[in-house]
Amino acid sequence: MHAFQTDDSRLHTFAYKVLARERLTASDALLLYRTGDILAVGWLANHVRESMHGDKTYFNVNRHINPTNVCVAACRLCAFGRKKDAPGAYTMALEEAFETAASGYSDVVTEFHIVGGLHPDLPFQYFLDLIAGLKERFPQVHLKAFTMVEIAYLARRAKLSTEDTLRQLKAAGVDSLPGGGAEIFADRVRHIICDHKIDGDQWLETARLAHQMGLKSNATMLYGHVENDEDRVDHLMKLRNLQDETGGFQTFIPLAFHPDNTPLQHLPKTTGMTDIRQIAVSRLVLDNFPHIKAYWQMMTAKIAQIALRFGADDIDGTVIEEKIYHDAGATTPQGMRREELIRLIGEAGREPIERDTLYRPVTRTETSVTVAV
Ligand code: V47
């Protein structure tokens, strides 16, 4: 690797800090967002990424299941949710959800990613039966299910504490939680983009409780709408603080806002530079997060591939049937073959490592799949 170079003199002292693995401050993070020298930021992020993971780049074979798009919230950021009687609204009967899980299923699948709308009528028992039924039918598949927002809503509707809600879901078979619903924690922004969701402190508190119960989770940040640099820095700092406390986050996934078919469709889309910079800043600021994911469905496979040299060490999975981004105008395919992911990673000069949801390597032979423990 060539030596660090920059034409922004403010970055020199900063580079010493990164190379000495010193923690960056909020004002350091702001500078990373504002410097014109994106390649210098990328160099530093790549340095951190390679010292943590070398060339290893993780992916998995997963399937998304969205049991319902009916949602009581009417978030301006979202093109997926529908009111109960609106055209296009759907709710899967349990059998339908099991059939969806089974369609295209083979024993190479190691994860179901299960999220949906905040349905006003489905009882808590539906979700317990959904999880237990999936576990029974697919015992070897990891169930990464329900965002902090869904957990808090289910608790409220079932009149249970968040702890009891999580405990029952875990007993039914939930193995970990995805990172959605975090958006941007700052109230000012939340009021505009997702006024009906739990606030940032409640999201963090729900994650804290899940982690204390031994459930790992991911964390996301939705950027590229009405937030500013300070809001993004505040979001990253809050996640870093909670991670210091619990160590329960596995992966951070920055998500670029897709405006099509949302009430915010007048906003411009993010550009490749913004997406790449966001990956790099995330890697540099979140020094206690093991993984930074370049979600190819959101970034496009081409930008995600470049992100693997700007701080990202994970590219998500085969996905199969992504809906949330596609309702909001994403033009990426709704899934990708395992071989294609391997090719993308290899051509970025990285070493593809198939993982399960907990980042244990998965090894395959022609006839069997083994997860190293
Ligand atoms: O929470 C919704 C975002 C998230 C839009 O944990 C939108 O491994 C852009 O969290 N434009 C759901 N974004 C997706 C998510 C996720 C994805 C992949 C992997 C993991 C993981 C988690 O998508 C929502 C919201 O932040 N979202 N609508 C939109 N119009």
Side-chain angles (χ1 to χ4, degrees):
M1 194 193 256
H2 65 76
F4 178 70
Q5 294 168 5
T6 181
D7 45 26
D8 181 344
S9 58
R10 296 172 304 173
L11 288 179
H12 277 295
T13 44
F14 186 90
Y16 286 119
K17 253 179 142 170
V18 173
L19 296 176
R21 302 303 287 267
E22 271 178 48
R23 185 156 263 201
L24 303 184
T25 63
S27 60
D28 293 335
L30 274 180
L31 174 58
L32 290 174
Y33 278 124
R34 292 175 182 170
T35 175
D37 195 349
I38 178 84
L39 288 180
V41 176
W43 188 97
L44 292 168
N46 189 51
H47 174 83
V48 174
R49 182 256 199 253
E50 289 186 358
S51 55
M52 291 174 85
H53 302 290
D55 278 332
K56 289 192 170 71
T57 296
Y58 298 94
F59 72 98
N60 72 352
V61 177
N62 62 346
R63 182 187 224 296
H64 283 208
I65 304 173
N66 306 118
T68 181
N69 64 355
V70 172
C71 193
V72 292
C75 299
R76 289 196 188 91
L77 68 89
C78 183
F80 173 71
R82 303 274 190 285
K83 292 291 160 240
K84 209 165 66 172
D85 302 317
Y90 73 85
T91 300
M92 294 179 185
L94 288 173
E95 278 311 319
E96 271 178 87
F98 301 146
E99 277 162 29
T100 304
S103 75
Y105 177 81
S106 77
D107 62 7
V108 299
V109 176
T110 59
E111 171 189 283
F112 290 142
H113 175 143
I114 307 160
V115 293
L118 308 180
H119 195 293
D121 308 322
L122 283 176
F124 186 40
Q125 194 60 43
Y126 168 93
F127 297 93
L128 295 174
D129 292 345
L130 172 70
I131 294 299
L134 287 170
K135 231 352 158 216
E136 192 189 331
R137 287 164 178 78
F138 307 96
Q140 73 285 15
V141 176
H142 181 108
L143 302 181
K144 184 178 78 179
F146 310 126
T147 64
M148 307 307 160
V149 176
E150 291 167 273
I151 299 291
Y153 182 72
L154 291 177
R156 210 181 78 199
R157 286 217 45 247
K159 299 194 171 44
L160 290 171
S161 66
T162 310
E163 288 95 321
D164 282 340
T165 307
L166 285 164
R167 207 169 286 123
Q168 290 193 37
L169 287 168
K170 189 177 179 210
V174 166
D175 295 302
S176 72
L177 278 65
E183 321 309 0
I184 285 277
F185 293 138
D187 286 340
R188 178 186 61 77
V189 177
R190 254 180 137 73
H191 287 318
I192 300 170
I193 65 168
C194 59
D195 205 16
H196 307 101
K197 273 186 184 157
I198 52 172
D199 67 22
D201 286 345
Q202 289 167 306
W203 191 98
L204 290 160
E205 181 55 20
T206 309
R208 178 183 285 112
L209 292 169
H211 296 172
Q212 283 167 353
M213 211 169 280
L215 287 165
K216 294 277 183 191
S217 84
N218 293 336
T220 56
M221 175 176 83
L222 186 73
Y223 65 94
H225 40 84
V226 298
E227 89 290 3
N228 58 31
D229 296 343
E230 282 86 356
D231 297 322
R232 290 187 214 167
V233 171
D234 171 69
H235 190 93
L236 295 176
M237 291 295 160
K238 285 186 169 138
L239 288 174
R240 191 171 77 180
N241 290 343
L242 181 57
Q243 178 73 335
D244 276 344
E245 198 186 311
T246 69
F249 289 117
Q250 304 204 100
T251 309
F252 178 68
I253 311 138
L255 297 169
F257 178 56
H258 282 42
D260 289 357
N261 308 318
T262 77
L264 298 174
Q265 62 185 345
H266 55 283
L267 294 176
K269 295 188 168 83
T270 65
T271 63
M273 280 297 177
T274 306
D275 294 343
I276 287 292
R277 184 193 297 263
Q278 184 53 56
I279 288 282
V281 177
S282 307
R283 180 60 289 163
L284 288 166
V285 175
L286 296 177
D287 52 19
N288 53 4
F289 271 63
H291 304 284
I292 303 292
K293 186 185 282 187
Y295 183 37
W296 68 265
Q297 287 267 358
M298 174 275 286
M299 304 187 98
T300 74
K302 289 183 181 183
I303 300 282
Q305 197 181 27
I306 297 169
L308 299 182
R309 304 206 77 89
F310 277 75
D313 63 281
D314 189 303
I315 198 162
D316 203 75
T318 50
V319 179
I320 310 183
E321 242 198 327
E322 201 287 332
K323 286 196 191 356
I324 298 176
Y325 272 85
H326 288 83
D327 281 355
T331 52
T332 47
Q334 278 183 284
M336 199 185 306
R337 288 174 48 244
R338 183 173 168 275
E339 292 68 29
E340 185 61 13
L341 279 176
I342 290 172
R343 190 172 76 93
L344 279 176
I345 296 169
E347 285 199 2
R350 298 301 196 194
E351 179 195 357
I353 306 281
E354 185 172 348
R355 60 163 176 88
D356 72 353
T357 313
L358 301 174
Y359 287 83
R360 294 173 301 196
V362 173
T363 48
R364 298 184 183 285
T365 65
E366 286 300 303
T367 51
S368 75
V369 181
T370 316
V371 177
V373 275

